[in-house]
Amino acid sequence: MISIVAKDLKKVYGNDVVALSDINFEVKPGEKVMLLGHNGSGKSTLFKCLTGFERPTEGKVFIGDTDITSLKKNEFRNVRKQVGLVFQNFNLINNISVFQNVLYGALGGNQGFRKTLNAFASDEMRYKAMECLDRVSLAEFANRRADQLSGGQKQRVAIARTIMQEPEIILADEPVASLDPKVGREVMDLLWDVADERGLAVICILHQMDIVKEYGERIIALKDGKIVKDDLIENIEDSFFKELYELDKADESEVK
Amino acid sequence: MSDNRLKQLMPARRKKPSLEIVIITFIFIALFVLGVMGAEITLARIFKGFDNIGNFLMRAFPPDFSKVNSVVKSVFETLQMAVVGTVFGVILSLPIALLGAKNTAPSKILANISRGIVIVSRTIPDLVFALIFVITVGLGSFAGILTIMIDTVGFCGRFFMERIEELDPGPIQALESTGASRFGVTAGAIMPMTFPSFVGTSLFALEKSIRGASVLGLVGAGGIGIELNTAMNLRRYDSALMIILVILIVVLIFEKVSRSLRERIM
Ligand SMILES: Nc1ncnc2c1ncn2[C@@H]1O[C@H](COP(=O)(O)OP(=O)(O)O)[C@@H](O)[C@H]1O
Ligand SMILES: [Mg+2]
């Protein structure tokens, strides 16, 4: 298993929107990090830089030994295969089967597109997809269309797709923000278990403070594009969270 | 009522129209007036028109179905032209739309070329294309098929492109993030997400093509339009009405089938 490293990362949008600066961290295999920060603090931008969807203005990102900032556009495939993404909106393909959605997790492999289609995939691959679905307790739903599932089920299918991908690192961008608290906890349990079983490095963006306190191990907090905290949760005083949390609230009332 | 600041900030009762709007309105009115004058619309002509319509209808009724067998072949030719032209048009529209849509275009040049093809196909009327193809490939249904194909590219190319551009980027990004190839993302995410709407649009295009193919014969590009033209020229209005009724029935039947198919897919 491999680590993910950000080194002196800086991202400027246009001429003067500094979305990230002085970002330095390493997340080792088996380490689970919660990434906190109010709206606009740069969390999503950081994820995009870590996966090559945005090019950092300065600095380096290492996925294992590969410096992805030195890659050309057509060299990202292998790196992306190693990083599984989980999204707030699940991002399943709605009008195809759950099973086919999971099979698409293998698209980064070198067997070609056709061999990821249910009709043409190898027996092993089809069985493996069923195992992934079973891991998220949705084997019975293999034949359903993805848009016939509840939110929590969709997120579990998305996790099954990520398991199918066999990533070394998981980045989750607010994976439970669209789910009610009980279902959100089920999804968090699943995500944490999957990461532990495989010893993956995880970075998870979260907003719900109760879930952060319940599941958090190491916390990285961003403010205005800078890291203001990087520590284990037991070393962080409650007042710090309160401050972040208040900030969030102030932010929301500002929008309203 | 005395605060000058508020009075100054108060919006005017009416906005002054921009010069652009004034010019466009003027041109429109000029075209309209000149058009009405140029067409020499007179009461006498309108009455004469009614007279002629009455005359036409008298001679058209009852429609002459004795020769319906002889036009069945042309009806089939019309349908074949529509189907073949639309199928090729839809097949061509797919890559054109993928190359032209902002979110899938691999390069700016290719995008502009694709968009150019769609615009030209859409804006030049199909009878003009039919005339060109009759000159280049000769009279008959081949010219008709090419015309329908171009017409379909103008229609489907545009709507496919718009559909692709309004896709949710999330699932596309999700497949990209698994390390999928460009082809994998297109075939795995974009095709399934756009499929229902593409089928619906294609069926619309086929309906449109059947109507279009019915008149292409007027310029010699095959199909039932030739029979209609001949009947009209020979003043066999009863045959002409029969042909018009046949076209009406075929189009109505197809629209019904097409609508039920679309409802099932959407
Ligand atoms: N594509 C973009 N172009 C310009 N500015 C952007 C873009 N994406 C994000 N930003 C800006 O960068 C900052 C960080 O945004 P983001 O990473 O989305 O924050 P978060 O995910 O923490 O809410 C914000 O000020 C945002 O307006
Ligand atoms: Mg965000």
Side-chain angles (χ1 to χ4, degrees):
Chain A
M1 291 293 114
I2 58 179
S3 340
I4 183 164
V5 176
K7 208 164 174 296
D8 299 326
L9 216 55
K10 181 172 188 179
K11 175 69 190 178
V12 183
Y13 285 114
N15 288 326
D16 50 2
V17 182
V18 183
L20 292 174
S21 61
D22 298 324
I23 302 291
N24 284 288
F25 62 78
E26 170 172 15
V27 182
K28 295 207 172 73
E31 219 179 345
K32 301 197 288 290
V33 171
M34 298 247 181
L35 182 61
L36 312 183
H38 55 89
N39 285 336
S41 60
K43 306 179 299 293
S44 298
T45 302
L46 178 57
F47 269 20
K48 285 180 196 152
C49 291
L50 295 179
T51 46
F53 285 106
E54 286 283 357
R55 248 177 220 287
T57 314
E58 284 170 25
K60 291 184 191 314
V61 173
F62 289 94
I63 306 285
D65 297 328
T66 313
D67 171 14
I68 71 166
T69 54
S70 68
L71 294 180
K72 294 199 189 69
K73 215 175 169 187
N74 55 1
E75 296 171 332
F76 276 109
R77 279 190 64 192
N78 273 326
V79 173
R80 289 203 177 132
K81 183 182 166 355
Q82 295 178 298
V83 184
L85 253 50
V86 179
F87 306 87
Q88 176 179 350
N89 301 323
F90 329 124
N91 288 343
L92 298 180
I93 294 156
N94 271 330
N95 57 347
I96 60 175
S97 72
V98 164
F99 187 55
Q100 184 60 62
N101 266 287
V102 177
L103 277 168
Y104 280 157
L107 273 176
N110 43 22
Q111 76 287 323
F113 171 73
R114 207 177 74 105
K115 292 281 190 182
T116 63
L117 293 176
N118 183 19
F120 303 106
S122 65
D123 291 343
E124 294 98 283
M125 186 173 290
R126 296 176 77 242
Y127 188 74
K128 191 177 147 201
M130 281 313 291
E131 283 182 322
C132 295
L133 263 181
D134 199 32
R135 178 64 194 82
V136 303
S137 315
L138 287 173
E140 281 75 20
F141 289 71
N143 246 326
R144 288 272 190 102
R145 262 172 61 134
D147 51 7
Q148 292 172 349
L149 303 182
S150 69
Q153 290 169 335
K154 283 184 186 170
Q155 193 61 297
R156 278 148 66 196
V157 172
I159 292 172
R161 175 173 67 186
T162 305
I163 302 174
M164 186 75 187
Q165 182 185 339
E166 295 185 333
E168 316 253 357
I169 294 160
I170 289 184
L171 305 183
D173 193 345
E174 304 194 32
V176 299
S178 332
L179 306 175
D180 63 53
K182 181 170 162 290
V183 176
R185 284 198 166 70
E186 285 166 17
V187 166
M188 282 307 296
D189 284 332
L190 178 64
L191 198 59
W192 259 209
D193 288 348
V194 165
D196 284 338
E197 287 159 14
R198 291 161 178 75
L200 308 180
V202 183
I203 306 178
C204 183
I205 297 176
L206 273 178
H207 270 312
Q208 299 90 327
M209 282 306 133
D210 45 341
I211 292 194
V212 170
K213 285 180 180 164
E214 209 173 316
Y215 292 85
E217 296 177 7
R218 175 181 163 194
I219 307 286
I220 295 181
L222 287 182
K223 194 180 167 192
D224 300 333
K226 286 191 161 66
I227 294 182
V228 291
K229 193 67 116 185
D230 180 355
D231 209 339
L232 296 178
I233 191 156
E234 53 261 35
N235 301 334
I236 301 176
E237 333 73 74
D238 246 20
S239 60
F240 177 79
F241 286 118
K242 212 169 247 157
E243 206 176 298
L244 258 187
Y245 185 65
E246 302 292 54
L247 248 175
D248 240 27
K249 260 208 196 139
D251 223 54
E252 268 166 34
S253 55
E254 223 170 75
V255 174
K256 277 170 207 160
Chain B
M1 285 300 281
S2 59
D3 190 337
N4 263 328
R5 187 178 62 91
L6 290 185
K7 280 184 181 163
Q8 266 168 13
L9 289 172
M10 189 153 47
R13 287 180 190 275
R14 282 183 289 282
K15 281 211 181 85
K16 275 204 192 108
S18 69
L19 184 63
E20 223 172 289
I21 299 284
V22 172
I23 292 176
I24 290 172
T25 311
F26 179 77
I27 292 178
F28 181 83
I29 292 173
L31 279 177
F32 182 82
V33 171
L34 289 175
V36 170
M37 279 163 33
E40 291 168 28
I41 301 173
T42 61
L43 270 185
R45 288 188 75 186
I46 291 172
F47 282 124
K48 187 112 198 302
F50 276 119
D51 212 34
N52 286 342
I53 285 264
N55 193 3
F56 170 79
L57 288 177
M58 291 243 280
R59 291 172 66 175
F61 273 102
D64 176 11
F65 278 97
S66 65
K67 299 205 187 74
V68 72
N69 283 333
S70 69
V71 300
V72 163
K73 197 173 144 276
S74 306
V75 170
F76 270 107
E77 190 183 55
T78 310
L79 287 178
Q80 283 162 7
M81 278 161 49
V83 169
V84 176
T86 309
V87 166
F88 280 120
V90 167
I91 291 173
L92 273 179
S93 296
L94 276 179
I96 287 176
L98 283 167
L99 295 176
K102 283 191 202 88
N103 49 344
T104 55
S107 84
K108 215 158 181 136
I109 299 172
L110 284 173
N112 285 334
I113 292 174
S114 303
R115 286 171 172 271
I117 291 173
V118 171
I119 289 171
V120 170
S121 314
R122 190 180 67 235
T123 45
I124 298 180
D126 52 352
L127 280 181
V128 174
F129 276 116
L131 283 169
I132 294 172
F133 286 129
V134 165
I135 294 167
T136 47
V137 303
L139 290 168
S141 61
F142 185 42
I145 288 173
L146 291 175
T147 305
I148 301 277
M149 190 180 84
I150 301 266
D151 207 38
T152 304
V153 167
F155 183 75
C156 287
R158 174 185 178 190
F159 282 104
F160 288 4
M161 221 178 268
E162 283 176 3
R163 179 70 191 104
I164 294 173
E165 283 178 355
E166 70 194 16
L167 280 181
D168 174 7
I172 296 172
Q173 204 200 352
L175 290 205
E176 272 172 352
S177 76
T178 66
S181 63
R182 189 180 199 103
F183 178 79
V185 174
T186 306
I190 295 175
M191 281 302 124
M193 287 198 286
T194 50
F195 181 77
S197 130
F198 281 9
V199 173
T201 306
S202 302
L203 285 169
F204 262 130
L206 191 51
E207 284 178 34
K208 199 163 111 55
S209 298
I210 289 175
R211 273 193 304 272
S214 310
V215 295
L216 288 182
L218 298 180
V219 296
I224 194 157
I226 296 172
E227 311 281 340
L228 185 59
N229 202 16
T230 312
M232 285 291 201
N233 285 339
L234 298 177
R235 296 182 192 284
R236 288 298 312 270
Y237 297 147
D238 50 351
S239 298
L241 183 59
M242 178 268 289
I243 292 168
I244 291 170
L245 289 175
V246 168
I247 294 175
L248 185 75
I249 291 166
V250 169
V251 172
L252 281 180
I253 291 176
F254 181 76
E255 280 185 359
K256 203 164 165 44
V257 173
S258 161
R259 182 170 322 143
S260 78
L261 276 179
R262 268 187 282 123
E263 271 164 14
R264 219 170 296 173
I265 295 160
M266 304 285 224

